[in-house]
Amino acid sequence: MATATKDDAEIKRLEETLRGELIQPDDPEFDDARAIYNAMIDKHPRLITRCANVADVLAAVKFGRQHDLDTAIRSGGHNGAGLGTVDDGLVIDLSNMTGIRVDPEAKTVLVEPGCTWGDVDHATHAFGLATVSGVVSTTGVGGLTLGGGHGYLSRKYGLAIDNLLSADVVLADGRLVHASEDEHPDLFWALRGGGGNFGVVTSFEFQLHPVETVVAGPTFWPIEELENTMRWYREWLPDAPEDVYAVYLTAEVPGDPFPEEIHGEKVCGLVWCYLGPEDQAEDVIQPARDIAEPLFEHVEKMPYPALQSMFDDLLPPGDQWYWKGDFMHELTDDVIAEHRRFAEVPTPQSGTHLYPIDEAVHHIDGNETAWAHRDVTWSMVIFGVDPDPDKSDLITEWTRDYWEAVHPHSAGASYVNFMMEEGSDRIRATYGDNYERLEEIKARYDPENFFHVNQNIEPAT
């Protein structure tokens, strides 16, 4: 395949089969089509099938298998490790499959895999409903969900996978199956956190919840207040009601929309999402003001989609990205000291987030889904970001050094969506006691490991 041209008979037959596009290196749109969110990853696929429907996915999977092509599956393209693309292989690009159907009576939504969470929020918000997603609206539904999915609604409504009701999946052998608690329940179990190891999901059905407006926005403190405020945060969060979600962060204040007088300031802070009665929001937020005087605050009532998209412009596609994560049980004084040591970020877009994953996430046992670590309190991510390729070494070294300082105090595992390509031991740790069951399910549904361009779980032998 590496020397095939567009006139090659078999490629021509594939092209004629597709309702979507077949894109090759000599096509003018190739560079745009191969680009992913993280510009640090620069790969050159042999073929890109931009699928229009399930039939296109079936044809692409069949072609990939027949020609023994390394095959990557791309939804939103946000994967930090760049596992939505591949050199010299096949990319099955789902980004044009963007159908959404809301059932307001049943409070469910059926979503095709090319949708972003912004697409879903737009469709469900019309009915005063939402489901659990992430914190950036341009993130793809497929990758975030299959990795578990945590975000602003997680303390009340769990992970994205806890709200997944069913999925349609194209398997490596070319079958299309429906996975749910009643049909292919073992596959459904594995999809909820097991990543793209088991097939191409062509539709997701989610439970929706009554979420229309929230009280939300950032509170920033000077970076010198990190140790004080993080100690308060570790004590406050476990007792906070489930209607409260607050991401702890370190950052450098960017330009617009923030006031000019704080541009470039190094800060720590919280991004709030409060789902409870509006007249009780001040009671929830005031303790944060009492612990240290904010440098800046903008917390107000807003539509939920406005919160979801609040930081989109600060994190555009095409930047250099390097990130590493860990689950944390607690924020000890030693951990807090390390956060303070690395808190002054190397570039304006770099930083750290601590995402709460307690309350509703803890209401499900660790063996009920592939996501194993239901007893941790935070999902930490450290991210180095900059548009300049010349700074890629700088942001990578800062991220690694920071992570290596904090990791010994962690739960020893990470959210799979916050991992680069970090090796099989790291993947095993992430799935913990569930790993052997995942290997067995992989052996049933993909015994030849066709779907291996991912955080790979090899089939049991």
Side-chain angles (χ1 to χ4, degrees), residues 209-252:
H209 305 280
V211 179
E212 187 167 7
T213 60
V214 295
V215 176
T219 296
F220 293 156
W221 298 290
I223 197 65
E224 292 76 17
E225 293 287 356
L226 184 146
E227 289 171 296
N228 179 33
T229 56
M230 193 178 283
R231 282 195 295 266
W232 166 80
Y233 177 68
R234 75 181 178 192
E235 304 300 328
W236 167 82
L237 180 75
D239 294 328
E242 64 179 10
D243 281 329
V244 181
Y245 191 91
V247 183
Y248 193 97
L249 59 83
T250 64
E252 179 178 311

mmCIF file of all heavy atoms in Angstrom, residues 209-252:
data_model
loop_
_atom_site.group_PDB
_atom_site.id
_atom_site.type_symbol
_atom_site.label_atom_id
_atom_site.label_comp_id
_atom_site.label_asym_id
_atom_site.label_seq_id
_atom_site.Cartn_x
_atom_site.Cartn_y
_atom_site.Cartn_z
ATOM 1 N N HIS A 209 -30.072 14.980 31.892
ATOM 2 C CA HIS A 209 -30.497 15.467 33.201
ATOM 3 C C HIS A 209 -30.961 16.920 33.086
ATOM 4 O O HIS A 209 -30.542 17.648 32.179
ATOM 5 C CB HIS A 209 -29.328 15.372 34.193
ATOM 6 C CG HIS A 209 -28.745 14.005 34.292
ATOM 7 N ND1 HIS A 209 -29.316 13.001 35.056
ATOM 8 C CD2 HIS A 209 -27.649 13.449 33.696
ATOM 9 C CE1 HIS A 209 -28.595 11.900 34.937
ATOM 10 N NE2 HIS A 209 -27.581 12.150 34.116
ATOM 11 N N PRO A 210 -31.817 17.352 33.996
ATOM 12 C CA PRO A 210 -32.309 18.735 33.937
ATOM 13 C C PRO A 210 -31.213 19.734 34.334
ATOM 14 O O PRO A 210 -30.986 19.994 35.519
ATOM 15 C CB PRO A 210 -33.476 18.739 34.924
ATOM 16 C CG PRO A 210 -33.194 17.620 35.871
ATOM 17 C CD PRO A 210 -32.471 16.578 35.079
ATOM 18 N N VAL A 211 -30.524 20.266 33.363
ATOM 19 C CA VAL A 211 -29.483 21.278 33.566
ATOM 20 C C VAL A 211 -29.699 22.351 32.510
ATOM 21 O O VAL A 211 -29.577 22.074 31.314
ATOM 22 C CB VAL A 211 -28.070 20.693 33.430
ATOM 23 C CG1 VAL A 211 -27.027 21.795 33.632
ATOM 24 C CG2 VAL A 211 -27.839 19.557 34.416
ATOM 25 N N GLU A 212 -30.025 23.548 32.948
ATOM 26 C CA GLU A 212 -30.259 24.630 31.993
ATOM 27 C C GLU A 212 -29.315 25.800 32.260
ATOM 28 O O GLU A 212 -28.490 26.149 31.427
ATOM 29 C CB GLU A 212 -31.712 25.094 32.058
ATOM 30 C CG GLU A 212 -32.055 26.099 30.965
ATOM 31 C CD GLU A 212 -33.555 26.306 30.832
ATOM 32 O OE1 GLU A 212 -34.321 25.764 31.668
ATOM 33 O OE2 GLU A 212 -33.970 27.011 29.890
ATOM 34 N N THR A 213 -29.429 26.396 33.445
ATOM 35 C CA THR A 213 -28.507 27.466 33.828
ATOM 36 C C THR A 213 -27.715 27.037 35.052
ATOM 37 O O THR A 213 -28.181 26.229 35.864
ATOM 38 C CB THR A 213 -29.245 28.773 34.138
ATOM 39 O OG1 THR A 213 -30.157 28.557 35.206
ATOM 40 C CG2 THR A 213 -29.980 29.284 32.900
ATOM 41 N N VAL A 214 -26.511 27.577 35.162
ATOM 42 C CA VAL A 214 -25.629 27.280 36.288
ATOM 43 C C VAL A 214 -25.034 28.595 36.774
ATOM 44 O O VAL A 214 -25.024 29.599 36.065
ATOM 45 C CB VAL A 214 -24.491 26.317 35.870
ATOM 46 C CG1 VAL A 214 -25.043 24.953 35.487
ATOM 47 C CG2 VAL A 214 -23.661 26.901 34.732
ATOM 48 N N VAL A 215 -24.558 28.600 38.006
ATOM 49 C CA VAL A 215 -23.761 29.718 38.507
ATOM 50 C C VAL A 215 -22.309 29.282 38.372
ATOM 51 O O VAL A 215 -21.896 28.281 38.961
ATOM 52 C CB VAL A 215 -24.116 30.063 39.961
ATOM 53 C CG1 VAL A 215 -23.202 31.177 40.481
ATOM 54 C CG2 VAL A 215 -25.584 30.482 40.058
ATOM 55 N N ALA A 216 -21.547 30.021 37.575
ATOM 56 C CA ALA A 216 -20.251 29.493 37.169
ATOM 57 C C ALA A 216 -19.284 30.611 36.816
ATOM 58 O O ALA A 216 -19.676 31.759 36.619
ATOM 59 C CB ALA A 216 -20.432 28.564 35.964
ATOM 60 N N GLY A 217 -18.019 30.223 36.716
ATOM 61 C CA GLY A 217 -16.974 31.151 36.328
ATOM 62 C C GLY A 217 -15.752 31.009 37.217
ATOM 63 O O GLY A 217 -15.719 30.193 38.147
ATOM 64 N N PRO A 218 -14.714 31.816 36.967
ATOM 65 C CA PRO A 218 -13.447 31.668 37.682
ATOM 66 C C PRO A 218 -13.297 32.589 38.897
ATOM 67 O O PRO A 218 -13.809 33.709 38.919
ATOM 68 C CB PRO A 218 -12.413 32.046 36.617
ATOM 69 C CG PRO A 218 -13.118 33.064 35.777
ATOM 70 C CD PRO A 218 -14.574 32.674 35.768
ATOM 71 N N THR A 219 -12.580 32.098 39.884
ATOM 72 C CA THR A 219 -12.029 32.887 40.984
ATOM 73 C C THR A 219 -10.520 32.684 40.965
ATOM 74 O O THR A 219 -10.054 31.540 41.032
ATOM 75 C CB THR A 219 -12.592 32.429 42.337
ATOM 76 O OG1 THR A 219 -13.996 32.667 42.385
ATOM 77 C CG2 THR A 219 -11.912 33.174 43.486
ATOM 78 N N PHE A 220 -9.754 33.770 40.854
ATOM 79 C CA PHE A 220 -8.290 33.682 40.833
ATOM 80 C C PHE A 220 -7.707 34.322 42.089
ATOM 81 O O PHE A 220 -8.147 35.394 42.519
ATOM 82 C CB PHE A 220 -7.702 34.435 39.630
ATOM 83 C CG PHE A 220 -8.027 33.829 38.294
ATOM 84 C CD1 PHE A 220 -8.009 34.625 37.149
ATOM 85 C CD2 PHE A 220 -8.326 32.486 38.143
ATOM 86 C CE1 PHE A 220 -8.295 34.095 35.905
ATOM 87 C CE2 PHE A 220 -8.621 31.940 36.904
ATOM 88 C CZ PHE A 220 -8.608 32.758 35.781
ATOM 89 N N TRP A 221 -6.682 33.654 42.641
ATOM 90 C CA TRP A 221 -5.869 34.229 43.711
ATOM 91 C C TRP A 221 -4.445 34.424 43.195
ATOM 92 O O TRP A 221 -4.008 33.710 42.277
ATOM 93 C CB TRP A 221 -5.815 33.295 44.910
ATOM 94 C CG TRP A 221 -7.115 32.995 45.574
ATOM 95 C CD1 TRP A 221 -7.877 33.847 46.312
ATOM 96 C CD2 TRP A 221 -7.792 31.728 45.611
ATOM 97 N NE1 TRP A 221 -8.988 33.190 46.813
ATOM 98 C CE2 TRP A 221 -8.968 31.886 46.379
ATOM 99 C CE3 TRP A 221 -7.535 30.465 45.061
ATOM 100 C CZ2 TRP A 221 -9.858 30.850 46.618
ATOM 101 C CZ3 TRP A 221 -8.421 29.440 45.291
ATOM 102 C CH2 TRP A 221 -9.567 29.638 46.067
ATOM 103 N N PRO A 222 -3.666 35.309 43.800
ATOM 104 C CA PRO A 222 -2.243 35.391 43.457
ATOM 105 C C PRO A 222 -1.567 34.048 43.725
ATOM 106 O O PRO A 222 -1.934 33.319 44.659
ATOM 107 C CB PRO A 222 -1.706 36.472 44.397
ATOM 108 C CG PRO A 222 -2.905 37.249 44.830
ATOM 109 C CD PRO A 222 -4.058 36.287 44.835
ATOM 110 N N ILE A 223 -0.570 33.715 42.919
ATOM 111 C CA ILE A 223 0.073 32.410 43.034
ATOM 112 C C ILE A 223 0.682 32.207 44.421
ATOM 113 O O ILE A 223 0.811 31.065 44.891
ATOM 114 C CB ILE A 223 1.138 32.238 41.931
ATOM 115 C CG1 ILE A 223 1.502 30.764 41.766
ATOM 116 C CG2 ILE A 223 2.369 33.096 42.211
ATOM 117 C CD1 ILE A 223 0.386 29.889 41.264
ATOM 118 N N GLU A 224 1.020 33.286 45.118
ATOM 119 C CA GLU A 224 1.582 33.179 46.469
ATOM 120 C C GLU A 224 0.596 32.561 47.452
ATOM 121 O O GLU A 224 0.983 32.094 48.526
ATOM 122 C CB GLU A 224 2.010 34.560 46.970
ATOM 123 C CG GLU A 224 3.197 35.168 46.233
ATOM 124 C CD GLU A 224 2.841 35.726 44.862
ATOM 125 O OE1 GLU A 224 1.633 35.946 44.593
ATOM 126 O OE2 GLU A 224 3.768 35.954 44.058
ATOM 127 N N GLU A 225 -0.688 32.541 47.074
ATOM 128 C CA GLU A 225 -1.712 31.957 47.953
ATOM 129 C C GLU A 225 -1.947 30.470 47.690
ATOM 130 O O GLU A 225 -2.861 29.876 48.258
ATOM 131 C CB GLU A 225 -3.036 32.710 47.784
ATOM 132 C CG GLU A 225 -3.013 34.151 48.267
ATOM 133 C CD GLU A 225 -2.997 34.253 49.788
ATOM 134 O OE1 GLU A 225 -3.078 33.215 50.473
ATOM 135 O OE2 GLU A 225 -2.890 35.387 50.282
ATOM 136 N N LEU A 226 -1.132 29.849 46.841
ATOM 137 C CA LEU A 226 -1.405 28.462 46.455
ATOM 138 C C LEU A 226 -1.453 27.530 47.660
ATOM 139 O O LEU A 226 -2.406 26.760 47.820
ATOM 140 C CB LEU A 226 -0.373 27.971 45.446
ATOM 141 C CG LEU A 226 -0.622 26.551 44.908
ATOM 142 C CD1 LEU A 226 -0.169 26.444 43.453
ATOM 143 C CD2 LEU A 226 0.115 25.473 45.723
ATOM 144 N N GLU A 227 -0.428 27.544 48.486
ATOM 145 C CA GLU A 227 -0.403 26.588 49.589
ATOM 146 C C GLU A 227 -1.581 26.798 50.538
ATOM 147 O O GLU A 227 -2.218 25.836 50.994
ATOM 148 C CB GLU A 227 0.928 26.704 50.332
ATOM 149 C CG GLU A 227 2.089 26.165 49.500
ATOM 150 C CD GLU A 227 3.438 26.465 50.114
ATOM 151 O OE1 GLU A 227 3.787 27.652 50.216
ATOM 152 O OE2 GLU A 227 4.128 25.495 50.489
ATOM 153 N N ASN A 228 -1.895 28.043 50.827
ATOM 154 C CA ASN A 228 -3.020 28.360 51.704
ATOM 155 C C ASN A 228 -4.341 27.886 51.106
ATOM 156 O O ASN A 228 -5.140 27.214 51.763
ATOM 157 C CB ASN A 228 -3.040 29.876 51.937
ATOM 158 C CG ASN A 228 -4.180 30.323 52.814
ATOM 159 O OD1 ASN A 228 -4.602 29.622 53.724
ATOM 160 N ND2 ASN A 228 -4.706 31.514 52.537
ATOM 161 N N THR A 229 -4.568 28.210 49.839
ATOM 162 C CA THR A 229 -5.870 27.898 49.233
ATOM 163 C C THR A 229 -6.005 26.422 48.896
ATOM 164 O O THR A 229 -7.104 25.859 49.004
ATOM 165 C CB THR A 229 -6.083 28.748 47.972
ATOM 166 O OG1 THR A 229 -4.995 28.535 47.059
ATOM 167 C CG2 THR A 229 -6.180 30.225 48.319
ATOM 168 N N MET A 230 -4.909 25.757 48.524
ATOM 169 C CA MET A 230 -5.016 24.338 48.219
ATOM 170 C C MET A 230 -5.252 23.520 49.490
ATOM 171 O O MET A 230 -5.980 22.517 49.459
ATOM 172 C CB MET A 230 -3.782 23.844 47.468
ATOM 173 C CG MET A 230 -3.977 22.467 46.851
ATOM 174 S SD MET A 230 -2.560 21.854 45.884
ATOM 175 C CE MET A 230 -2.748 22.784 44.369
ATOM 176 N N ARG A 231 -4.663 23.947 50.593
ATOM 177 C CA ARG A 231 -4.964 23.261 51.861
ATOM 178 C C ARG A 231 -6.436 23.428 52.215
ATOM 179 O O ARG A 231 -7.078 22.476 52.676
ATOM 180 C CB ARG A 231 -4.071 23.802 52.981
ATOM 181 C CG ARG A 231 -2.650 23.255 52.963
ATOM 182 C CD ARG A 231 -1.929 23.517 54.277
ATOM 183 N NE ARG A 231 -1.744 24.956 54.495
ATOM 184 C CZ ARG A 231 -0.653 25.621 54.147
ATOM 185 N NH1 ARG A 231 0.353 25.000 53.547
ATOM 186 N NH2 ARG A 231 -0.557 26.914 54.403
ATOM 187 N N TRP A 232 -6.959 24.626 52.033
ATOM 188 C CA TRP A 232 -8.395 24.828 52.290
ATOM 189 C C TRP A 232 -9.241 23.965 51.352
ATOM 190 O O TRP A 232 -10.202 23.312 51.786
ATOM 191 C CB TRP A 232 -8.751 26.307 52.097
ATOM 192 C CG TRP A 232 -10.231 26.527 52.001
ATOM 193 C CD1 TRP A 232 -11.120 26.595 53.035
ATOM 194 C CD2 TRP A 232 -11.009 26.654 50.808
ATOM 195 N NE1 TRP A 232 -12.401 26.773 52.558
ATOM 196 C CE2 TRP A 232 -12.353 26.807 51.186
ATOM 197 C CE3 TRP A 232 -10.679 26.661 49.451
ATOM 198 C CZ2 TRP A 232 -13.384 26.970 50.256
ATOM 199 C CZ3 TRP A 232 -11.706 26.818 48.520
ATOM 200 C CH2 TRP A 232 -13.026 26.967 48.922
ATOM 201 N N TYR A 233 -8.872 23.936 50.089
ATOM 202 C CA TYR A 233 -9.641 23.203 49.071
ATOM 203 C C TYR A 233 -9.718 21.709 49.392
ATOM 204 O O TYR A 233 -10.778 21.088 49.249
ATOM 205 C CB TYR A 233 -8.974 23.430 47.713
ATOM 206 C CG TYR A 233 -9.560 22.698 46.537
ATOM 207 C CD1 TYR A 233 -10.819 23.009 46.045
ATOM 208 C CD2 TYR A 233 -8.818 21.697 45.887
ATOM 209 C CE1 TYR A 233 -11.335 22.356 44.932
ATOM 210 C CE2 TYR A 233 -9.327 21.039 44.776
ATOM 211 C CZ TYR A 233 -10.584 21.373 44.305
ATOM 212 O OH TYR A 233 -11.090 20.722 43.204
ATOM 213 N N ARG A 234 -8.601 21.113 49.853
ATOM 214 C CA ARG A 234 -8.601 19.668 50.134
ATOM 215 C C ARG A 234 -9.534 19.330 51.290
ATOM 216 O O ARG A 234 -10.080 18.220 51.350
ATOM 217 C CB ARG A 234 -7.183 19.188 50.433
ATOM 218 C CG ARG A 234 -6.671 19.588 51.807
ATOM 219 C CD ARG A 234 -5.269 19.132 52.092
ATOM 220 N NE ARG A 234 -4.836 19.590 53.416
ATOM 221 C CZ ARG A 234 -3.585 19.527 53.838
ATOM 222 N NH1 ARG A 234 -2.638 19.040 53.057
ATOM 223 N NH2 ARG A 234 -3.276 19.957 55.056
ATOM 224 N N GLU A 235 -9.707 20.273 52.234
ATOM 225 C CA GLU A 235 -10.601 20.029 53.363
ATOM 226 C C GLU A 235 -12.049 20.347 53.002
ATOM 227 O O GLU A 235 -12.975 19.675 53.472
ATOM 228 C CB GLU A 235 -10.176 20.885 54.558
ATOM 229 C CG GLU A 235 -8.739 20.692 55.009
ATOM 230 C CD GLU A 235 -8.438 19.271 55.433
ATOM 231 O OE1 GLU A 235 -9.351 18.599 55.964
ATOM 232 O OE2 GLU A 235 -7.287 18.815 55.239
ATOM 233 N N TRP A 236 -12.240 21.354 52.182
ATOM 234 C CA TRP A 236 -13.585 21.826 51.847
ATOM 235 C C TRP A 236 -14.318 20.907 50.882
ATOM 236 O O TRP A 236 -15.497 20.610 51.056
ATOM 237 C CB TRP A 236 -13.480 23.230 51.252
ATOM 238 C CG TRP A 236 -14.719 23.733 50.584
ATOM 239 C CD1 TRP A 236 -15.810 24.304 51.183
ATOM 240 C CD2 TRP A 236 -15.003 23.711 49.184
ATOM 241 N NE1 TRP A 236 -16.750 24.638 50.237
ATOM 242 C CE2 TRP A 236 -16.271 24.286 49.008
ATOM 243 C CE3 TRP A 236 -14.299 23.279 48.059
ATOM 244 C CZ2 TRP A 236 -16.863 24.428 47.747
ATOM 245 C CZ3 TRP A 236 -14.881 23.406 46.802
ATOM 246 C CH2 TRP A 236 -16.149 23.972 46.664
ATOM 247 N N LEU A 237 -13.615 20.420 49.842
ATOM 248 C CA LEU A 237 -14.294 19.697 48.769
ATOM 249 C C LEU A 237 -15.056 18.464 49.241
ATOM 250 O O LEU A 237 -16.215 18.274 48.855
ATOM 251 C CB LEU A 237 -13.300 19.316 47.668
ATOM 252 C CG LEU A 237 -13.952 18.560 46.500
ATOM 253 C CD1 LEU A 237 -14.763 19.497 45.623
ATOM 254 C CD2 LEU A 237 -12.910 17.818 45.679
ATOM 255 N N PRO A 238 -14.477 17.572 50.057
ATOM 256 C CA PRO A 238 -15.213 16.349 50.406
ATOM 257 C C PRO A 238 -16.548 16.602 51.101
ATOM 258 O O PRO A 238 -17.446 15.751 51.032
ATOM 259 C CB PRO A 238 -14.229 15.608 51.332
ATOM 260 C CG PRO A 238 -12.881 16.109 50.927
ATOM 261 C CD PRO A 238 -13.094 17.548 50.597
ATOM 262 N N ASP A 239 -16.671 17.736 51.777
ATOM 263 C CA ASP A 239 -17.923 18.043 52.469
ATOM 264 C C ASP A 239 -18.847 18.936 51.656
ATOM 265 O O ASP A 239 -19.958 19.246 52.104
ATOM 266 C CB ASP A 239 -17.618 18.728 53.805
ATOM 267 C CG ASP A 239 -16.894 17.798 54.770
ATOM 268 O OD1 ASP A 239 -17.161 16.578 54.711
ATOM 269 O OD2 ASP A 239 -16.063 18.280 55.555
ATOM 270 N N ALA A 240 -18.410 19.362 50.489
ATOM 271 C CA ALA A 240 -19.248 20.234 49.663
ATOM 272 C C ALA A 240 -20.413 19.440 49.089
ATOM 273 O O ALA A 240 -20.268 18.256 48.747
ATOM 274 C CB ALA A 240 -18.420 20.839 48.539
ATOM 275 N N PRO A 241 -21.586 20.058 48.938
ATOM 276 C CA PRO A 241 -22.730 19.341 48.361
ATOM 277 C C PRO A 241 -22.472 18.951 46.914
ATOM 278 O O PRO A 241 -21.645 19.567 46.222
ATOM 279 C CB PRO A 241 -23.870 20.354 48.472
ATOM 280 C CG PRO A 241 -23.222 21.679 48.640
ATOM 281 C CD PRO A 241 -21.929 21.435 49.333
ATOM 282 N N GLU A 242 -23.181 17.922 46.440
ATOM 283 C CA GLU A 242 -22.942 17.409 45.092
ATOM 284 C C GLU A 242 -23.295 18.417 43.990
ATOM 285 O O GLU A 242 -22.862 18.271 42.845
ATOM 286 C CB GLU A 242 -23.718 16.111 44.865
ATOM 287 C CG GLU A 242 -25.222 16.276 44.911
ATOM 288 C CD GLU A 242 -25.974 14.990 44.656
ATOM 289 O OE1 GLU A 242 -25.362 13.913 44.621
ATOM 290 O OE2 GLU A 242 -27.211 15.066 44.499
ATOM 291 N N ASP A 243 -24.083 19.438 44.344
ATOM 292 C CA ASP A 243 -24.397 20.483 43.366
ATOM 293 C C ASP A 243 -23.206 21.374 43.056
ATOM 294 O O ASP A 243 -23.254 22.183 42.126
ATOM 295 C CB ASP A 243 -25.535 21.367 43.879
ATOM 296 C CG ASP A 243 -26.907 20.725 43.701
ATOM 297 O OD1 ASP A 243 -27.072 19.970 42.733
ATOM 298 O OD2 ASP A 243 -27.793 20.974 44.530
ATOM 299 N N VAL A 244 -22.127 21.252 43.823
ATOM 300 C CA VAL A 244 -20.963 22.117 43.662
ATOM 301 C C VAL A 244 -19.845 21.355 42.963
ATOM 302 O O VAL A 244 -19.482 20.242 43.358
ATOM 303 C CB VAL A 244 -20.434 22.605 45.023
ATOM 304 C CG1 VAL A 244 -19.237 23.534 44.825
ATOM 305 C CG2 VAL A 244 -21.523 23.300 45.795
ATOM 306 N N TYR A 245 -19.299 21.981 41.931
ATOM 307 C CA TYR A 245 -18.101 21.458 41.266
ATOM 308 C C TYR A 245 -17.124 22.608 41.157
ATOM 309 O O TYR A 245 -17.498 23.721 40.768
ATOM 310 C CB TYR A 245 -18.450 20.934 39.870
ATOM 311 C CG TYR A 245 -17.345 20.130 39.214
ATOM 312 C CD1 TYR A 245 -17.279 18.758 39.384
ATOM 313 C CD2 TYR A 245 -16.387 20.748 38.422
ATOM 314 C CE1 TYR A 245 -16.276 18.009 38.790
ATOM 315 C CE2 TYR A 245 -15.376 20.018 37.820
ATOM 316 C CZ TYR A 245 -15.327 18.649 38.004
ATOM 317 O OH TYR A 245 -14.329 17.914 37.409
ATOM 318 N N ALA A 246 -15.864 22.360 41.506
ATOM 319 C CA ALA A 246 -14.858 23.411 41.429
ATOM 320 C C ALA A 246 -13.524 22.791 41.039
ATOM 321 O O ALA A 246 -12.968 21.986 41.779
ATOM 322 C CB ALA A 246 -14.731 24.142 42.762
ATOM 323 N N VAL A 247 -13.024 23.147 39.860
ATOM 324 C CA VAL A 247 -11.717 22.709 39.389
ATOM 325 C C VAL A 247 -10.662 23.624 39.993
ATOM 326 O O VAL A 247 -10.752 24.852 39.857
ATOM 327 C CB VAL A 247 -11.617 22.798 37.857
ATOM 328 C CG1 VAL A 247 -10.270 22.271 37.379
ATOM 329 C CG2 VAL A 247 -12.752 22.055 37.185
ATOM 330 N N TYR A 248 -9.665 23.060 40.650
ATOM 331 C CA TYR A 248 -8.537 23.856 41.122
ATOM 332 C C TYR A 248 -7.516 23.945 39.996
ATOM 333 O O TYR A 248 -7.234 22.951 39.314
ATOM 334 C CB TYR A 248 -7.899 23.229 42.361
ATOM 335 C CG TYR A 248 -6.941 24.175 43.065
ATOM 336 C CD1 TYR A 248 -7.372 24.921 44.161
ATOM 337 C CD2 TYR A 248 -5.638 24.354 42.621
ATOM 338 C CE1 TYR A 248 -6.515 25.814 44.796
ATOM 339 C CE2 TYR A 248 -4.783 25.236 43.248
ATOM 340 C CZ TYR A 248 -5.221 25.964 44.332
ATOM 341 O OH TYR A 248 -4.380 26.860 44.956
ATOM 342 N N LEU A 249 -6.928 25.144 39.806
ATOM 343 C CA LEU A 249 -6.021 25.334 38.689
ATOM 344 C C LEU A 249 -4.843 26.223 39.053
ATOM 345 O O LEU A 249 -4.890 26.999 40.017
ATOM 346 C CB LEU A 249 -6.762 25.946 37.495
ATOM 347 C CG LEU A 249 -7.451 27.299 37.686
ATOM 348 C CD1 LEU A 249 -6.493 28.475 37.535
ATOM 349 C CD2 LEU A 249 -8.608 27.454 36.723
ATOM 350 N N THR A 250 -3.788 26.092 38.276
ATOM 351 C CA THR A 250 -2.719 27.086 38.239
ATOM 352 C C THR A 250 -2.600 27.542 36.792
ATOM 353 O O THR A 250 -2.811 26.753 35.858
ATOM 354 C CB THR A 250 -1.370 26.534 38.716
ATOM 355 O OG1 THR A 250 -0.930 25.509 37.815
ATOM 356 C CG2 THR A 250 -1.481 25.977 40.119
ATOM 357 N N ALA A 251 -2.265 28.817 36.602
ATOM 358 C CA ALA A 251 -2.275 29.361 35.250
ATOM 359 C C ALA A 251 -1.556 30.692 35.214
ATOM 360 O O ALA A 251 -1.168 31.251 36.260
ATOM 361 C CB ALA A 251 -3.719 29.541 34.767
ATOM 362 N N GLU A 252 -1.394 31.208 34.011
ATOM 363 C CA GLU A 252 -1.017 32.597 33.781
ATOM 364 C C GLU A 252 -2.208 33.279 33.137
ATOM 365 O O GLU A 252 -2.775 32.750 32.162
ATOM 366 C CB GLU A 252 0.204 32.688 32.875
ATOM 367 C CG GLU A 252 0.638 34.106 32.580
ATOM 368 C CD GLU A 252 1.885 34.181 31.717
ATOM 369 O OE1 GLU A 252 2.871 33.493 32.048
ATOM 370 O OE2 GLU A 252 1.869 34.928 30.721
#
